Amino acid sequence: MIKHQRALSGVLALAVAVAPLAAGSAATASTGTADHDGLHEVMHRLTTVDGGPGALIRVRDRRGDAVLTSGVADVTSRAPMRGDSSFRIGSMTKMFVATTVLQLVGERRVVLDAPVEHYLPGVVRGHGNDGLAITVRQLLQHTSGIPDYLNYLSLQEVLKDPLAHHDTRDLVNIALAHPPTFKPGTGWSYSNTGYLLAGMLIEKVTGHTYGQEIRRRIIKPLRLRQTYVPGDTSAIPGPHPRGYARPGQDAPLMDFTAINPSVAGPSGSMISSGTDLNRFLGALVRGSLLRPAQLRDMMRTRPTGSPGGSAYGLGLESDPLPCGGLYWGHDGGILGYQTLGGATVDGRQATVMVNLYPGGSDAQDHDTKAAVQTALCEDRPSL
């Protein structure tokens, strides 16, 4: 989710260990099918007035697959954005983690309304945080009240050594050194810490890392060829755009393509592509990855307080479409990349990526959502 952009932008201004890059004007050419006129306009905005270096969107609907690109993948070489790019997906990782946990629920190895303490004894303790009072469901739905570790992580230290390893338990303990945001089950507040704990739960229950389970349960069955749980690996395999951040308005861009994604772990470390994410989203919402009871649990939402009408289930968010109905998906933001993917239950999917985060404008936030909504509405079946 895009929850920390402004705070991160302020911290970036303090980072002196990474050399800034000169920003050039974005290229405006787009490639794609001629019948996506509205989408071409949004993509053009993303890489001109919105300020993003480059963007891509992959769309799948009844007409087939289409990819539209705009701008550049590299502000130094001016190489154009490629439609087959891989990129970091940030919090879209949460959909994969939640799906894995819900598969374990379907196998009766995890109980959604059981206390976290049952699976992770002694982990959630201190400063009023109590694993006996927090359920697995609450972790996945951001209703646990556990503080978000990103609110307290020293990003200055992260940026001084972006390739350093970060232990998941240590990140959890950063959060647990602070009191809960609210009593479990009484509110909603986005917390990346809950998904760090969900990843730990997967490992405790299965004896394998969350990455191994995601590969076995999702990546391999769906044949997702550009989707990875990278662990400590800093490189992005295959063709990919450089990932940038902007420390302040009109400031030079900073290149964060190579980072150790363990700083995000099960809350946001994964790499994927537009093609793979659309395939995953389509399989998820049509019930190919979860049993009916678990898919209903995932899609049982509560309002987030967003003025746009967003509601959050278990690792999956619903948003209204301007043409009517809902789409299901998630957004993501990690150093270098902003993403958003969505799917409808009648078989339309769209995933957008901009290679700038944090430091993008409010208009960039708006138009990433507008791109997905436009794509999903352009081929809406007639009623």
Side-chain angles (χ1 to χ4, degrees), residues 82-359:
R82 290 179 50 157
D84 61 349
S85 295
S86 299
F87 43 85
R88 302 191 192 279
I89 67 171
S91 284
M92 292 183 78
T93 300
K94 291 178 173 68
M95 295 187 292
F96 291 82
V97 171
T99 299
T100 301
V101 173
L102 287 167
Q103 286 187 0
L104 293 170
V105 172
E107 296 162 11
R108 300 187 178 182
R109 301 171 70 182
V110 172
V111 176
L112 271 179
D113 293 312
V116 174
E117 181 74 12
H118 179 76
Y119 304 101
L120 299 172
V123 172
V124 182
R125 298 278 178 85
H127 297 88
N129 298 286
D130 183 1
L132 284 169
I134 295 168
T135 67
V136 176
R137 187 191 303 272
Q138 290 166 349
L139 291 183
L140 299 181
Q141 198 161 31
H142 302 296
T143 56
S144 70
I146 291 177
D148 189 345
Y149 78 98
L150 285 184
N151 290 335
Y152 306 102
L153 181 67
S154 173
L155 285 173
Q156 294 97 324
E157 295 302 315
V158 173
L159 296 174
K160 285 178 184 176
D161 188 3
L163 301 183
H165 170 77
H166 294 268
D167 183 75
T168 299
R169 180 69 182 269
D170 291 342
L171 296 175
V172 168
N173 287 340
I174 289 172
L176 297 180
H178 302 273
T181 307
F182 48 77
K183 183 179 177 181
T186 65
W188 189 91
S189 182
Y190 194 83
S191 176
N192 289 284
T193 314
Y195 276 78
L196 299 182
L197 290 164
M200 293 171 64
L201 180 151
I202 291 168
E203 181 168 358
K204 187 73 171 182
V205 170
T206 67
H208 304 122
T209 67
Y210 79 96
Q212 290 171 325
E213 288 296 311
I214 287 173
R215 281 191 290 272
R216 182 175 73 85
R217 294 169 176 273
I218 302 172
I219 294 174
K220 288 185 177 180
L222 294 182
R223 298 181 182 179
L224 306 180
R225 294 181 171 86
Q226 292 175 270
T227 302
Y228 308 92
V229 183
D232 286 302
T233 303
S234 61
I236 300 175
H240 61 274
R242 308 299 298 177
Y244 301 102
R246 180 175 284 120
Q249 187 175 4
D250 300 323
L253 297 178
M254 302 171 72
D255 189 328
F256 285 103
T257 309
I259 63 169
N260 187 324
S262 64
V263 71
S267 74
S269 71
M270 289 179 64
I271 292 165
S272 191
S273 68
T275 299
D276 279 5
L277 287 168
N278 284 351
R279 185 178 301 167
F280 165 72
L281 282 163
L284 181 61
V285 301
R286 71 172 176 261
S288 297
L289 290 171
L290 294 174
R291 299 177 184 183
Q294 280 69 59
L295 186 58
R296 286 194 298 271
D297 280 325
M298 183 176 242
M299 290 181 162
R300 188 172 293 121
T301 61
R302 62 163 297 154
T304 65
S306 164
S310 298
Y312 205 91
L314 304 185
L316 193 65
E317 188 171 33
S318 70
D319 281 274
L321 282 168
C323 54
L326 297 172
Y327 71 94
W328 297 89
H330 213 289
D331 59 0
I334 190 169
L335 284 170
Y337 304 91
Q338 181 171 350
T339 57
L340 174 65
T344 62
V345 294
D346 60 18
R348 293 167 286 153
Q349 303 106 43
T351 297
V352 66
M353 182 277 299
V354 182
N355 60 335
L356 174 63
Y357 185 86

Side-chain angles (χ1 to χ4, degrees), residues 54-80:
L56 71 82
I57 188 165
R58 175 74 67 167
V59 183
R60 182 172 178 81
D61 54 32
R62 61 183 173 88
R63 296 171 293 187
D65 283 297
V67 62
L68 285 74
T69 63
S70 184
V72 298
D74 185 321
V75 299
T76 302
S77 71
R78 312 304 295 165

